[in-house]
Amino acid sequence: MAQQFKRSYRFAIRTALFISLFLTAILAIFIFLGLQNWWIALLIFAGLCYLFSFLIIQYRVERFIYRRIKKVYDNVSLLDSKTLSPNQITTDMSSLTREVKKFAEDKKLEIETLKVREAYRKEFMGNVSHELKTPLFTVQGYILTLIDGAHKDKVIRKKYLARANKGVERLIYIVKDLDMITKLETGDLHLKYETFDIIELIQASFDLLEMKAAKKDITLTFDLDYSEPILVRADRERIQQVLTNLIVNSIKYGKNGGTTEISIENLIKNKVIVRVTDNGEGIAKENIPRLFERFYRVDKSGSRREGGSGLGLSIVKHILEAHEEKIYVESVFGVGSEFSFTLEKRKEIPENSAITEIT
């Protein structure tokens, strides 16, 4: 505080000194000239005093404030002192106030974002460790049992090795899914666009998952009979992965004897929307915004009734974003869920040309 007073005193002393010296010099000149009309001399003296006082105070104040503010800019790395000019200080302090206020708001937002990211990182690391440790401990348990002497029994050895293999397969499945998400996020996974019939692809997914659905007596069906092909342009393999993940989820969390229904509708001129609807458990409203996070659990108990890597919906989201498409979800807890996504629609291709038209 004392230092601030010293600076202001120094500023005032120097300014007063400059004005006093000027006034003394002017007064000495008037006395030397010995002007007869004293009132004219008084007016000239007053005018010169006013003009000089205005100029010196303006110049001194401007430099004083500019130096102090520039030091703030230099100390705060995110404020660019190159954009600061002396004129801006004295003529438009509101601009400086707005910039400093914006800086404070940006820093506050940055801090809040970092806090959210840190919380997400902790949760993500906890989920990854949970997903990995279960199969790791399972494999370790079987191997240790075999080392302790169970390998001598051929039946137990074969059974435990088979179970250990399943644990390793689950680990590989999780690592592959994580690797795919990373490649999608960084743009390292390149999409191979081609034109294909989405109806045919959905039917292929139905055929692939028919046995899995039959175990829960779930019917996989279209909403109506699509007699004509619906051509879309996308990466066929990745879109099949999207469909498979969504259908598998509907089977996992569907009710015994339920239905998984897929419909395709025209959205706009060059877009179609594919809807995957089930009458299963449904999702609580508070869980919907986080459904596509890696390893996010709707079931907070920490145990998985169903298999999978826990990355299926996250992969779906990243694949569709790589296609620059959207995914939507609507769900009512206890009633069912509907996942829908958009695709680029293609015009009909002549019969004598190949449908694939790879680009």
Side-chain angles (χ1 to χ4, degrees):
M1 195 69 181
Q3 188 178 5
Q4 293 297 330
F5 281 135
K6 287 179 182 178
R7 286 178 181 172
S8 61
Y9 285 160
R10 187 162 59 248
F11 167 79
I13 289 169
R14 288 181 179 177
T15 304
L17 179 63
F18 291 147
I19 294 174
S20 299
L21 290 174
F22 176 78
L23 295 179
T24 302
I26 294 295
L27 186 59
I29 291 171
F30 281 178
I31 292 173
F32 177 77
L33 293 175
L35 297 177
Q36 299 298 323
N37 296 328
W38 61 269
W39 59 273
I40 294 177
L42 184 63
L43 288 175
I44 294 173
F45 180 75
L48 289 174
C49 289
Y50 175 80
L51 180 62
F52 179 78
S53 298
F54 171 80
L55 291 175
I56 192 66
I57 291 173
Q58 168 70 15
Y59 174 76
R60 293 281 297 157
V61 168
E62 186 177 278
R63 279 188 59 80
F64 180 79
I65 297 176
Y66 173 72
R67 279 196 268 178
R68 299 283 82 77
I69 297 300
K70 189 175 185 301
K71 188 172 289 186
V72 174
Y73 269 72
D74 292 337
N75 291 336
V76 181
S77 59
L78 294 183
L79 294 176
D80 186 7
S81 61
K82 293 179 181 178
T83 63
L84 182 68
S85 65
N87 293 334
Q88 184 183 8
I89 293 297
T90 54
T91 61
D92 191 11
M93 283 295 288
S94 61
S95 296
L96 175 65
T97 304
R98 284 196 302 269
E99 191 167 349
V100 172
K101 185 179 179 182
K102 181 178 181 299
F103 166 76
E105 290 173 351
D106 289 345
K107 290 297 290 182
K108 183 179 179 181
L109 181 62
E110 183 181 344
I111 291 169
E112 290 174 353
T113 303
L114 288 172
K115 286 180 178 178
V116 171
R117 287 181 178 177
E118 177 63 15
Y120 174 75
R121 185 191 67 81
K122 289 179 179 178
E123 184 177 354
F124 173 70
M125 292 303 295
N127 287 333
V128 169
S129 64
H130 177 82
E131 292 294 336
L132 294 178
K133 74 181 181 183
T134 302
L136 276 173
F137 289 167
T138 300
V139 173
Q140 185 185 43
Y142 288 131
I143 291 175
L144 288 175
T145 303
L146 291 172
I147 291 173
D148 288 340
H151 66 281
K152 295 177 182 178
D153 188 322
K154 291 183 179 181
V155 176
I156 294 178
R157 182 175 62 200
K158 185 177 180 180
K159 181 172 68 174
Y160 280 16
L161 285 174
R163 290 179 179 178
N165 183 59
K166 285 184 179 179
V168 173
E169 286 178 351
R170 177 166 169 74
L171 284 171
I172 293 171
Y173 187 45
I174 292 171
V175 171
K176 280 184 176 179
D177 282 354
L178 280 171
D179 182 58
M180 177 178 292
I181 290 176
T182 302
K183 286 180 177 179
L184 285 166
E185 287 178 338
T186 58
D188 291 339
L189 188 64
H190 300 290
L191 302 176
K192 188 178 78 171
Y193 282 87
E194 56 183 297
T195 299
F196 59 90
D197 181 8
I198 188 66
I199 302 296
E200 180 185 336
L201 191 65
I202 294 170
Q203 186 59 58
S205 299
F206 280 171
D207 295 341
L208 185 67
L209 299 170
E210 185 178 9
M211 295 294 293
K212 190 176 185 69
K215 291 180 180 178
K216 295 182 71 172
D217 195 24
I218 291 176
T219 303
L220 306 178
T221 184
F222 288 99
D223 65 322
L224 52 87
D225 183 19
Y226 293 93
S227 56
E228 298 292 330
I230 298 176
L231 302 180
V232 296
R233 183 176 179 272
D235 186 315
R236 183 188 181 100
E237 183 181 346
R238 300 303 172 196
I239 296 303
Q240 182 163 32
Q241 190 172 7
V242 168
L243 287 167
T244 300
N245 286 350
L246 292 179
I247 296 170
V248 165
N249 265 10
S250 72
I251 295 171
K252 283 182 183 178
Y253 304 107
K255 296 176 181 177
N256 290 332
T259 302
T260 295
E261 180 182 272
I262 295 186
S263 62
I264 304 98
E265 302 171 12
N266 288 318
L267 188 62
I268 54 177
K269 185 177 180 181
N270 65 331
K271 294 283 185 181
V272 295
I273 186 165
V274 181
R275 304 182 189 275
V276 181
T277 309
D278 65 65
N279 55 356
E281 297 177 3
I283 305 160
K285 188 176 180 180
E286 62 270 18
N287 292 320
I288 291 178
R290 300 190 62 188
L291 272 181
F292 298 99
E293 292 181 12
R294 302 179 190 183
F295 300 115
Y296 179 71
R297 296 176 183 277
V298 173
D299 179 11
K300 299 300 181 184
S301 65
S303 61
R304 278 196 190 280
R305 294 175 307 163
E306 305 288 348
S309 67
L311 297 167
L313 288 179
S314 184
I315 289 174
V316 165
K317 176 176 176 289
H318 281 87
I319 288 175
L320 291 171
E321 285 180 348
H323 282 80
E324 297 183 357
E325 301 292 351
K326 302 290 185 182
I327 183 165
Y328 310 93
V329 56
E330 295 180 18
S331 185
V332 178
F333 187 69
V335 176
S337 305
E338 178 182 283
F339 288 84
S340 55
F341 60 92
T342 59
L343 286 175
E344 181 185 347
K345 185 179 181 181
R346 299 290 284 179
K347 294 180 180 179
E348 294 292 337
I349 294 177
E351 293 181 2
N352 58 353
S353 65
I355 282 184
T356 51
E357 192 194 358
I358 299 174
T359 58

